[in-house]
Coordinates of all heavy atoms in Angstrom, one line a residue:
M1 N 78.0 91.2 23.8 CA 78.3 89.9 24.3 C 79.0 90.0 25.6 O 80.0 90.8 25.7 CB 79.1 89.1 23.3 CG 79.6 87.8 23.9 SD 80.8 87.0 22.8 CE 79.8 86.3 21.6
T2 N 78.6 89.2 26.6 CA 79.4 89.2 27.9 C 79.7 87.8 28.3 O 78.9 86.9 28.0 CB 78.6 89.9 29.0 OG1 77.4 89.2 29.2 CG2 78.3 91.3 28.7
T3 N 80.8 87.6 28.9 CA 81.2 86.3 29.5 C 81.7 86.6 30.9 O 82.1 87.8 31.1 CB 82.2 85.6 28.7 OG1 83.4 86.4 28.5 CG2 81.7 85.2 27.3
T4 N 81.7 85.7 31.7 CA 82.2 85.9 33.1 C 83.7 85.8 33.2 O 84.3 84.8 32.7 CB 81.5 84.9 34.1 OG1 80.1 85.2 34.0 CG2 82.0 85.2 35.5
C5 N 84.3 86.7 33.8 CA 85.8 86.7 34.1 C 85.8 86.7 35.6 O 84.9 86.9 36.3 CB 86.5 87.9 33.6 SG 86.4 88.1 31.8
C6 N 87.0 86.4 36.1 CA 87.0 86.2 37.6 C 88.1 87.0 38.3 O 88.3 86.7 39.5 CB 87.1 84.7 37.9 SG 88.6 84.0 37.2
N7 N 88.8 88.0 37.7 CA 89.7 88.7 38.5 C 89.6 90.2 38.5 O 88.9 90.7 37.6 CB 91.2 88.2 38.2 CG 91.7 88.7 36.9 OD1 91.5 89.9 36.5 ND2 92.3 87.9 36.1
N8 N 90.2 90.8 39.4 CA 90.1 92.3 39.6 C 90.6 93.0 38.4 O 90.1 94.1 38.0 CB 90.8 92.7 40.9 CG 90.4 94.1 41.3 OD1 89.2 94.5 41.1 ND2 91.3 94.9 41.7
V9 N 91.7 92.5 37.7 CA 92.2 93.2 36.5 C 91.2 93.3 35.5 O 91.0 94.3 34.8 CB 93.5 92.4 36.1 CG1 94.0 93.0 34.7 CG2 94.6 92.5 37.1
D10 N 90.4 92.2 35.3 CA 89.4 92.2 34.3 C 88.3 93.2 34.6 O 87.8 93.9 33.7 CB 88.7 90.8 34.2 CG 89.6 89.8 33.6 OD1 90.4 90.1 32.6 OD2 89.7 88.6 34.1
A11 N 88.0 93.3 35.9 CA 86.9 94.3 36.3 C 87.4 95.7 36.1 O 86.7 96.6 35.7 CB 86.6 94.0 37.8
E12 N 88.7 96.0 36.5 CA 89.2 97.3 36.3 C 89.3 97.7 34.8 O 88.9 98.8 34.4 CB 90.6 97.4 36.9 CG 90.6 97.5 38.4 CD 90.0 98.7 39.0 OE1 90.4 99.8 38.5 OE2 89.1 98.6 39.9
C13 N 89.7 96.8 34.0 CA 89.8 97.0 32.6 C 88.4 97.3 32.0 O 88.3 98.2 31.2 CB 90.5 95.8 31.9 SG 90.9 96.1 30.2
N14 N 87.5 96.5 32.4 CA 86.1 96.6 31.9 C 85.6 98.0 32.3 O 84.9 98.7 31.5 CB 85.2 95.5 32.5 CG 83.9 95.5 31.8 OD1 83.7 95.6 30.6 ND2 82.8 95.4 32.7
A15 N 85.8 98.4 33.6 CA 85.3 99.7 34.0 C 86.0 100.9 33.2 O 85.3 101.9 32.9 CB 85.6 99.9 35.5
Y16 N 87.3 100.8 32.9 CA 87.9 101.8 32.1 C 87.3 101.8 30.7 O 87.0 102.9 30.2 CB 89.4 101.5 31.9 CG 90.2 102.2 33.0 CD1 90.9 101.4 34.0 CD2 90.4 103.6 33.1 CE1 91.6 102.0 35.0 CE2 91.1 104.2 34.1 CZ 91.7 103.4 35.0 OH 92.5 104.0 36.0
N17 N 87.0 100.7 30.1 CA 86.4 100.6 28.8 C 85.0 101.2 28.8 O 84.6 101.9 27.8 CB 86.5 99.2 28.2 CG 87.8 98.8 27.8 OD1 88.6 99.6 27.3 ND2 88.2 97.5 27.9
A18 N 84.3 101.0 29.9 CA 83.0 101.6 30.0 C 83.1 103.1 30.0 O 82.3 103.8 29.4 CB 82.2 101.0 31.2
A19 N 84.0 103.6 30.8 CA 84.2 105.0 30.9 C 84.7 105.6 29.5 O 84.1 106.7 29.1 CB 85.3 105.3 31.9
F20 N 85.6 105.0 28.8 CA 86.0 105.4 27.5 C 84.8 105.5 26.6 O 84.6 106.5 25.9 CB 87.1 104.6 26.9 CG 88.3 104.4 27.7 CD1 89.1 103.3 27.6 CD2 88.8 105.4 28.6 CE1 90.3 103.1 28.3 CE2 90.0 105.3 29.3 CZ 90.7 104.1 29.2
H21 N 84.0 104.5 26.6 CA 82.8 104.4 25.7 C 81.9 105.6 26.1 O 81.4 106.3 25.2 CB 82.1 103.1 25.9 CG 80.9 102.9 25.1 ND1 81.0 102.7 23.7 CD2 79.6 102.9 25.4 CE1 79.7 102.6 23.2 NE2 78.9 102.8 24.2
E22 N 81.6 105.7 27.4 CA 80.7 106.8 27.8 C 81.2 108.2 27.4 O 80.4 109.1 27.1 CB 80.4 106.7 29.3 CG 79.3 107.6 29.8 CD 79.0 107.4 31.3 OE1 78.8 106.3 31.7 OE2 78.9 108.4 32.0
L23 N 82.5 108.4 27.5 CA 83.1 109.7 27.2 C 83.3 109.9 25.7 O 83.7 111.0 25.3 CB 84.4 109.8 27.9 CG 84.3 110.0 29.5 CD1 85.6 109.8 30.1 CD2 83.6 111.3 29.9
G24 N 82.9 108.9 24.9 CA 83.1 109.0 23.4 C 84.5 108.8 22.9 O 84.8 109.2 21.8
L25 N 85.3 108.2 23.8 CA 86.7 108.0 23.4 C 86.7 106.6 22.7 O 86.1 105.6 23.2 CB 87.6 108.0 24.6 CG 87.7 109.3 25.4 CD1 88.4 109.1 26.7 CD2 88.3 110.4 24.5
S26 N 87.4 106.5 21.6 CA 87.4 105.2 20.8 C 88.5 104.2 21.3 O 88.9 103.4 20.5 CB 87.5 105.5 19.3 OG 88.7 106.2 19.0
W27 N 88.9 104.3 22.5 CA 89.9 103.5 23.0 C 89.3 102.2 23.6 O 88.3 102.2 24.2 CB 90.7 104.1 24.2 CG 91.1 105.5 24.0 CD1 91.2 106.2 22.8 CD2 91.4 106.5 25.0 NE1 91.6 107.5 23.0 CE2 91.8 107.7 24.4 CE3 91.5 106.4 26.4 CZ2 92.1 108.8 25.1 CZ3 91.9 107.5 27.1 CH2 92.2 108.7 26.4
V28 N 90.0 101.1 23.4 CA 89.6 99.8 24.0 C 90.8 99.2 24.5 O 91.8 98.9 23.8 CB 88.9 98.9 23.0 CG1 88.6 97.6 23.6 CG2 87.7 99.5 22.4
W29 N 90.9 99.0 25.9 CA 92.0 98.4 26.5 C 91.7 96.9 26.7 O 90.7 96.5 27.2 CB 92.3 99.0 27.8 CG 92.9 100.4 27.8 CD1 93.3 101.1 26.7 CD2 93.3 101.2 29.0 NE1 93.8 102.3 27.1 CE2 93.9 102.4 28.5 CE3 93.2 101.0 30.3 CZ2 94.3 103.3 29.3 CZ3 93.7 102.0 31.2 CH2 94.2 103.1 30.7
D30 N 92.7 96.1 26.4 CA 92.7 94.7 26.9 C 93.4 94.7 28.2 O 94.0 95.7 28.6 CB 93.2 93.7 25.9 CG 94.7 94.0 25.5 OD1 95.4 94.7 26.2 OD2 95.1 93.5 24.4
T31 N 93.5 93.5 28.9 CA 94.1 93.5 30.2 C 95.6 93.8 30.1 O 96.2 94.4 31.0 CB 93.9 92.2 30.9 OG1 94.3 91.1 30.0 CG2 92.4 92.0 31.3
G32 N 96.3 93.4 29.0 CA 97.7 93.7 28.8 C 97.9 95.2 28.7 O 98.9 95.8 29.3
L33 N 97.1 95.9 27.9 CA 97.3 97.4 27.7 C 97.0 98.1 29.0 O 97.6 99.0 29.4 CB 96.4 97.9 26.6 CG 96.5 99.4 26.2 CD1 98.0 99.7 26.0 CD2 95.7 99.7 25.0
Y34 N 95.9 97.6 29.7 CA 95.6 98.1 31.0 C 96.8 98.0 32.0 O 97.2 99.0 32.6 CB 94.3 97.5 31.6 CG 94.2 97.7 33.1 CD1 93.7 98.9 33.6 CD2 94.5 96.7 34.0 CE1 93.6 99.1 35.0 CE2 94.4 96.9 35.3 CZ 94.0 98.1 35.8 OH 93.9 98.3 37.2
A35 N 97.3 96.8 32.0 CA 98.5 96.6 32.9 C 99.7 97.5 32.6 O 100.3 98.0 33.4 CB 98.9 95.1 32.9
N36 N 99.9 97.7 31.3 CA 101.0 98.5 30.8 C 100.7 100.0 31.2 O 101.6 100.7 31.5 CB 101.2 98.4 29.3 CG 102.3 97.5 28.9 OD1 103.1 97.1 29.7 ND2 102.3 97.1 27.6
A37 N 99.5 100.4 31.0 CA 99.1 101.8 31.3 C 99.3 102.2 32.7 O 99.8 103.3 33.0 CB 97.7 102.1 30.8
V38 N 98.9 101.3 33.6 CA 99.0 101.6 35.0 C 100.0 100.9 35.8 O 100.1 101.0 37.1 CB 97.6 101.5 35.7 CG1 96.6 102.5 35.1 CG2 97.1 100.1 35.6
A39 N 100.8 100.0 35.1 CA 101.8 99.2 35.8 C 102.8 100.1 36.6 O 103.3 101.0 36.1 CB 102.6 98.4 34.8
G40 N 102.9 99.7 37.9 CA 103.9 100.4 38.7 C 103.6 101.8 39.1 O 104.4 102.5 39.6
S41 N 102.3 102.2 38.9 CA 102.0 103.6 39.2 C 100.5 103.6 39.7 O 99.8 102.6 39.5 CB 102.2 104.5 38.0 OG 101.3 104.2 37.0
D42 N 100.1 104.7 40.2 CA 98.7 104.9 40.5 C 97.9 105.2 39.3 O 98.5 105.5 38.2 CB 98.5 106.0 41.6 CG 99.0 107.3 41.1 OD1 100.2 107.7 41.2 OD2 98.1 108.1 40.5
D43 N 96.6 105.1 39.3 CA 95.8 105.3 38.1 C 96.0 106.7 37.5 O 96.1 106.8 36.3 CB 94.3 105.1 38.4 CG 93.9 103.6 38.6 OD1 94.8 102.8 38.6 OD2 92.8 103.4 38.9
R44 N 96.1 107.7 38.3 CA 96.3 109.1 37.7 C 97.6 109.2 36.9 O 97.6 109.7 35.8 CB 96.2 110.1 38.8 CG 94.8 110.4 39.3 CD 94.8 111.4 40.4 NE 93.4 111.7 40.8 CZ 92.6 110.9 41.5 NH1 93.1 109.7 41.9 NH2 91.4 111.2 41.8
T45 N 98.7 108.7 37.5 CA 100.0 108.8 36.8 C 99.9 107.9 35.6 O 100.4 108.3 34.5 CB 101.1 108.3 37.8 OG1 101.1 109.2 38.9 CG2 102.4 108.4 37.1
G46 N 99.4 106.7 35.7 CA 99.3 105.8 34.6 C 98.5 106.4 33.4 O 98.9 106.3 32.3
L47 N 97.4 107.0 33.7 CA 96.6 107.6 32.7 C 97.3 108.8 32.1 O 97.3 109.0 30.8 CB 95.2 108.1 33.3 CG 94.2 107.0 33.4 CD1 93.0 107.6 34.2 CD2 93.7 106.6 32.0
R48 N 97.9 109.7 32.9 CA 98.7 110.8 32.3 C 99.8 110.3 31.4 O 100.0 110.8 30.3 CB 99.4 111.6 33.5 CG 98.6 112.8 33.8 CD 99.4 113.7 34.8 NE 98.4 114.1 35.8 CZ 98.3 113.5 37.0 NH1 99.1 112.6 37.4 NH2 97.4 114.0 37.9
N49 N 100.5 109.2 31.8 CA 101.5 108.6 30.9 C 101.0 108.1 29.6 O 101.5 108.2 28.6 CB 102.3 107.6 31.7 CG 103.2 108.1 32.8 OD1 103.5 109.3 32.8 ND2 103.5 107.3 33.8
Y50 N 99.8 107.4 29.8 CA 99.2 106.8 28.6 C 98.8 107.9 27.6 O 99.0 107.8 26.4 CB 97.9 106.0 29.0 CG 97.1 105.5 27.8 CD1 97.5 104.4 27.1 CD2 96.0 106.2 27.3 CE1 96.8 103.9 26.0 CE2 95.3 105.8 26.2 CZ 95.7 104.6 25.6 OH 95.0 104.2 24.5
L51 N 98.2 109.0 28.1 CA 97.8 110.1 27.3 C 99.0 110.7 26.6 O 99.0 111.0 25.4 CB 97.1 111.2 28.1 CG 95.7 110.9 28.6 CD1 95.3 111.9 29.6 CD2 94.8 110.9 27.4
A52 N 100.1 110.9 27.3 CA 101.3 111.5 26.7 C 101.9 110.6 25.6 O 102.4 111.1 24.6 CB 102.4 111.7 27.8
R53 N 101.9 109.3 25.8 CA 102.5 108.3 24.9 C 101.6 108.0 23.7 O 102.1 107.8 22.6 CB 102.9 107.0 25.6 CG 104.2 107.1 26.3 CD 104.6 105.8 26.9 NE 103.9 105.9 28.2 CZ 103.7 104.9 29.0 NH1 104.1 103.7 28.7 NH2 103.1 105.0 30.1
H54 N 100.3 107.8 24.0 CA 99.4 107.3 22.9 C 98.3 108.2 22.5 O 97.7 107.9 21.4 CB 98.8 106.0 23.5 CG 99.8 104.9 23.9 ND1 100.5 104.2 22.9 CD2 100.2 104.5 25.1 CE1 101.3 103.4 23.6 NE2 101.2 103.6 24.9
Q55 N 98.0 109.2 23.2 CA 96.9 110.1 22.8 C 97.3 111.6 22.9 O 96.6 112.4 23.3 CB 95.7 109.9 23.7 CG 95.2 108.4 23.7 CD 94.7 108.0 22.4 OE1 94.2 108.8 21.5 NE2 94.7 106.7 22.1
S56 N 98.6 111.9 22.6 CA 99.1 113.2 22.8 C 98.4 114.3 22.0 O 98.4 115.4 22.4 CB 100.6 113.2 22.4 OG 100.8 112.9 21.1
H57 N 97.7 113.9 20.9 CA 97.0 114.9 20.2 C 95.9 115.5 21.0 O 95.5 116.7 20.8 CB 96.4 114.3 18.9 CG 95.4 113.2 19.2 ND1 95.8 111.9 19.6 CD2 94.0 113.2 19.2 CE1 94.7 111.2 19.8 NE2 93.7 111.9 19.5
L58 N 95.3 114.8 22.0 CA 94.3 115.3 22.9 C 94.8 116.4 23.8 O 94.1 117.3 24.2 CB 93.6 114.2 23.7 CG 92.8 113.2 22.9 CD1 92.3 112.1 23.8 CD2 91.6 113.9 22.2
L59 N 96.1 116.3 24.1 CA 96.7 117.3 25.1 C 96.9 118.6 24.5 O 97.1 119.6 25.2 CB 98.0 116.7 25.6 CG 97.9 115.3 26.3 CD1 99.2 114.9 26.8 CD2 96.9 115.5 27.5
S60 N 96.8 118.8 23.2 CA 96.9 120.1 22.6 C 95.6 120.9 22.7 O 95.5 122.1 22.6 CB 97.3 120.0 21.1 OG 96.3 119.3 20.4
A61 N 94.5 120.1 23.0 CA 93.2 120.8 23.2 C 92.6 120.7 24.6 O 91.8 121.5 25.0 CB 92.2 120.1 22.2
H62 N 93.1 119.7 25.4 CA 92.6 119.5 26.8 C 93.8 119.4 27.7 O 94.8 118.8 27.4 CB 91.8 118.2 26.8 CG 90.6 118.2 25.8 ND1 89.5 118.9 26.0 CD2 90.5 117.5 24.7 CE1 88.7 118.7 25.0 NE2 89.3 117.9 24.1
D63 N 93.5 119.9 28.9 CA 94.5 119.7 30.0 C 94.5 118.2 30.5 O 93.4 117.6 30.6 CB 94.0 120.6 31.2 CG 94.9 120.5 32.4 OD1 96.1 120.9 32.3 OD2 94.4 119.9 33.4
A64 N 95.7 117.7 30.7 CA 95.8 116.3 31.0 C 95.1 116.0 32.3 O 94.4 114.9 32.4 CB 97.3 115.9 31.2
D65 N 95.2 116.8 33.3 CA 94.5 116.6 34.6 C 93.0 116.6 34.4 O 92.3 115.8 35.1 CB 94.9 117.6 35.6 CG 96.4 117.5 36.1 OD1 96.9 116.3 36.1 OD2 97.0 118.5 36.5
F66 N 92.5 117.4 33.6 CA 91.0 117.4 33.3 C 90.6 116.1 32.7 O 89.6 115.5 33.1 CB 90.7 118.6 32.3 CG 89.3 118.5 31.8 CD1 88.2 118.9 32.6 CD2 89.0 118.0 30.5 CE1 86.9 118.7 32.1 CE2 87.8 117.8 30.0 CZ 86.7 118.2 30.8
L67 N 91.4 115.6 31.7 CA 91.0 114.3 31.1 C 91.1 113.2 32.0 O 90.2 112.3 32.1 CB 92.0 114.1 29.9 CG 91.7 115.0 28.6 CD1 92.9 114.8 27.6 CD2 90.4 114.7 28.0
V68 N 92.2 113.2 32.8 CA 92.4 112.1 33.8 C 91.3 112.1 34.8 O 90.7 111.0 35.1 CB 93.8 112.2 34.5 CG1 93.9 111.4 35.7 CG2 94.9 111.9 33.5
E69 N 90.9 113.2 35.3 CA 89.8 113.3 36.3 C 88.5 112.9 35.7 O 87.7 112.2 36.4 CB 89.8 114.7 37.0 CG 91.0 115.0 37.9 CD 91.3 113.9 38.9 OE1 90.3 113.4 39.6 OE2 92.4 113.6 39.1
A70 N 88.2 113.3 34.5 CA 87.0 112.9 33.8 C 86.9 111.4 33.6 O 85.9 110.8 33.9 CB 86.8 113.6 32.5
I71 N 88.0 110.8 33.2 CA 88.0 109.3 33.0 C 87.8 108.6 34.3 O 87.0 107.7 34.4 CB 89.3 108.9 32.3 CG1 89.4 109.4 30.9 CG2 89.5 107.4 32.3 CD1 90.7 109.4 30.2
L72 N 88.6 109.0 35.4 CA 88.5 108.3 36.7 C 87.1 108.5 37.3 O 86.5 107.5 37.8 CB 89.5 108.8 37.6 CG 91.0 108.4 37.3 CD1 92.0 109.0 38.2 CD2 91.1 106.9 37.3
A73 N 86.5 109.7 37.2 CA 85.1 109.9 37.8 C 84.1 109.0 37.0 O 83.2 108.4 37.6 CB 84.8 111.4 37.7
T74 N 84.2 109.0 35.7 CA 83.3 108.1 34.9 C 83.5 106.7 35.2 O 82.5 105.9 35.3 CB 83.5 108.4 33.4 OG1 83.3 109.9 33.2 CG2 82.5 107.7 32.6
K75 N 84.8 106.2 35.3 CA 85.1 104.8 35.6 C 84.5 104.5 37.0 O 83.8 103.4 37.1 CB 86.6 104.6 35.7 CG 87.0 103.3 36.2 CD 88.5 103.3 36.4 CE 89.0 102.2 37.3 NZ 89.1 102.4 38.7
E76 N 84.6 105.3 38.0 CA 84.1 105.0 39.3 C 82.6 104.9 39.3 O 81.9 104.1 39.9 CB 84.6 106.0 40.3 CG 86.1 105.9 40.6 CD 86.6 107.0 41.5 OE1 85.8 107.8 42.0 OE2 87.9 107.1 41.5
R77 N 81.9 105.8 38.5 CA 80.5 105.8 38.4 C 80.0 104.6 37.7 O 79.0 103.9 38.1 CB 80.0 107.1 37.7 CG 78.4 107.2 37.7 CD 77.9 108.5 37.1 NE 78.1 108.5 35.7 CZ 79.0 109.1 35.0 NH1 79.9 109.8 35.6 NH2 79.1 109.1 33.7
C78 N 80.7 104.2 36.7 CA 80.3 102.9 36.0 C 80.4 101.7 36.9 O 79.6 100.8 36.9 CB 81.2 102.8 34.7 SG 80.8 103.9 33.4
Q79 N 81.5 101.7 37.6 CA 81.7 100.5 38.6 C 80.6 100.5 39.6 O 80.0 99.5 39.9 CB 83.0 100.7 39.3 CG 84.2 100.2 38.5 CD 85.5 100.4 39.3 OE1 85.7 101.5 39.9 NE2 86.4 99.4 39.2
A80 N 80.2 101.7 40.1 CA 79.1 101.8 41.1 C 77.8 101.3 40.5 O 77.0 100.6 41.2 CB 79.0 103.2 41.7
Q81 N 77.5 101.8 39.3 CA 76.3 101.4 38.6 C 76.2 99.9 38.4 O 75.1 99.3 38.6 CB 76.1 102.1 37.3 CG 75.8 103.6 37.5 CD 75.8 104.4 36.2 OE1 76.5 104.0 35.3 NE2 75.1 105.5 36.2
L82 N 77.3 99.3 38.0 CA 77.3 97.8 37.8 C 77.0 97.1 39.1 O 76.3 96.2 39.2 CB 78.6 97.4 37.2 CG 78.8 97.7 35.7 CD1 80.2 97.4 35.3 CD2 77.9 96.9 34.8
S83 N 77.7 97.6 40.1 CA 77.6 96.9 41.4 C 76.2 97.1 42.0 O 75.6 96.1 42.5 CB 78.6 97.6 42.4 OG 78.6 96.9 43.6
A84 N 75.6 98.3 41.8 CA 74.2 98.5 42.3 C 73.2 97.7 41.6 O 72.2 97.3 42.2 CB 73.9 100.0 42.2
A85 N 73.5 97.4 40.3 CA 72.5 96.6 39.5 C 72.7 95.1 39.7 O 72.0 94.3 39.2 CB 72.7 96.9 38.0
G86 N 73.7 94.8 40.6 CA 73.9 93.4 40.9 C 74.7 92.7 39.8 O 74.7 91.4 39.7
C87 N 75.3 93.4 38.9 CA 76.1 92.9 37.8 C 77.5 92.4 38.3 O 78.1 93.0 39.2 CB 76.3 93.9 36.7 SG 74.7 94.4 35.9
N88 N 78.0 91.4 37.6 CA 79.4 91.0 37.8 C 80.3 92.1 37.2 O 80.3 92.2 36.0 CB 79.6 89.6 37.2 CG 81.1 89.2 37.4 OD1 81.9 89.9 37.9 ND2 81.3 88.0 36.8
P89 N 81.0 92.8 38.0 CA 81.9 93.9 37.4 C 83.0 93.4 36.5 O 83.6 94.1 35.8 CB 82.4 94.6 38.6 CG 82.3 93.7 39.7 CD 81.2 92.8 39.4
A90 N 83.3 92.1 36.7 CA 84.4 91.5 35.9 C 83.8 90.8 34.6 O 84.5 90.1 33.9 CB 85.2 90.5 36.7
A91 N 82.5 91.0 34.3 CA 82.0 90.4 33.1 C 82.6 91.0 31.9 O 82.8 92.2 31.8 CB 80.5 90.6 33.1
Y92 N 83.0 90.2 31.0 CA 83.7 90.7 29.8 C 82.7 91.2 28.8 O 81.7 90.6 28.5 CB 84.5 89.5 29.1 CG 85.1 90.0 27.8 CD1 86.3 90.8 27.8 CD2 84.5 89.7 26.6 CE1 86.8 91.2 26.6 CE2 85.1 90.1 25.4 CZ 86.2 90.9 25.4 OH 86.8 91.3 24.3
I93 N 83.0 92.4 28.3 CA 82.1 93.0 27.3 C 83.0 93.3 26.1 O 84.1 93.9 26.3 CB 81.5 94.3 27.8 CG1 80.5 94.0 29.0 CG2 80.7 95.0 26.7 CD1 80.0 95.2 29.7
D94 N 82.6 93.0 25.0 CA 83.4 93.3 23.8 C 83.2 94.8 23.4 O 82.3 95.1 22.6 CB 83.1 92.4 22.6 CG 83.9 92.6 21.4 OD1 84.8 93.4 21.4 OD2 83.7 91.9 20.4
W95 N 84.0 95.7 24.0 CA 83.8 97.1 23.8 C 84.1 97.5 22.4 O 83.5 98.4 21.9 CB 84.7 97.9 24.8 CG 84.1 97.7 26.2 CD1 84.6 96.9 27.1 CD2 83.0 98.4 26.7 NE1 83.9 97.0 28.3 CE2 82.9 97.9 28.0 CE3 82.1 99.3 26.2 CZ2 81.8 98.3 28.9 CZ3 81.1 99.7 27.1 CH2 80.9 99.3 28.4
S96 N 85.0 96.8 21.7 CA 85.3 97.2 20.3 C 84.1 97.0 19.4 O 83.9 97.8 18.5 CB 86.5 96.4 19.8 OG 86.2 95.0 19.8
S97 N 83.2 96.1 19.7 CA 82.0 95.9 18.9 C 81.0 97.0 19.2 O 80.1 97.2 18.3 CB 81.4 94.5 19.1 OG 80.8 94.4 20.4
L98 N 81.1 97.7 20.3 CA 80.1 98.7 20.6 C 80.6 100.1 20.1 O 79.8 101.0 20.0 CB 80.0 98.8 22.1 CG 79.4 97.6 22.8 CD1 79.4 97.8 24.3 CD2 78.0 97.3 22.3
Q99 N 81.8 100.2 19.7 CA 82.3 101.5 19.2 C 81.7 101.8 17.9 O 81.7 100.9 17.0 CB 83.9 101.5 19.1 CG 84.6 101.3 20.5 CD 84.4 102.5 21.4 OE1 84.0 103.6 20.9 NE2 84.7 102.4 22.6
Q100 N 81.3 103.0 17.7 CA 80.7 103.4 16.4 C 81.9 103.7 15.4 O 82.9 104.3 15.9 CB 79.8 104.6 16.5 CG 78.6 104.3 17.3 CD 77.7 105.5 17.5 OE1 77.9 106.5 16.9 NE2 76.6 105.3 18.2
R101 N 81.7 103.4 14.2 CA 82.7 103.7 13.2 C 82.7 105.3 13.0 O 81.7 105.9 13.0 CB 82.4 103.1 11.9 CG 82.5 101.6 12.1 CD 82.9 100.9 10.8 NE 84.2 101.5 10.3 CZ 85.2 100.8 9.9 NH1 85.2 99.5 10.0 NH2 86.3 101.4 9.4
Q102 N 83.9 105.8 12.9 CA 84.0 107.2 12.7 C 84.0 107.5 11.2 O 84.4 106.7 10.4 CB 85.3 107.8 13.3 CG 85.2 107.6 14.8 CD 86.5 108.1 15.5 OE1 87.5 108.5 14.8 NE2 86.6 108.1 16.8
I103 N 83.6 108.7 10.8 CA 83.5 109.1 9.4 C 85.0 109.1 8.9 O 85.9 109.6 9.5 CB 83.0 110.5 9.3 CG1 81.5 110.5 9.7 CG2 83.1 111.0 7.8 CD1 80.8 111.9 9.7
G104 N 85.1 108.4 7.8 CA 86.4 108.3 7.2 C 87.3 107.2 7.7 O 88.4 106.9 7.2
A105 N 86.8 106.4 8.7 CA 87.5 105.3 9.3 C 87.3 104.1 8.5 O 86.4 103.8 7.8 CB 87.2 105.1 10.7

């Protein structure tokens, strides 16, 4: 389901959620969590901080810089694909409904 939103925060949040979905991460950010994750910092620093605070288990298996760069590259590609297709990048998508249930969840 999509609805039209009208600000850049919505577009950025949507692009992050598209990247998380594409990378198989079961994270879904709303605009508040997005703002908290990157508030007062650049995207790389914000993502590193988010990983350390909320997804630290991933850092035992993956380098933080690797994860951050993978997320940002995927986010940028998703934004470019939406733009090239003529889609409204700020369209709201209910990413939580697209996430597949995990075994045992």
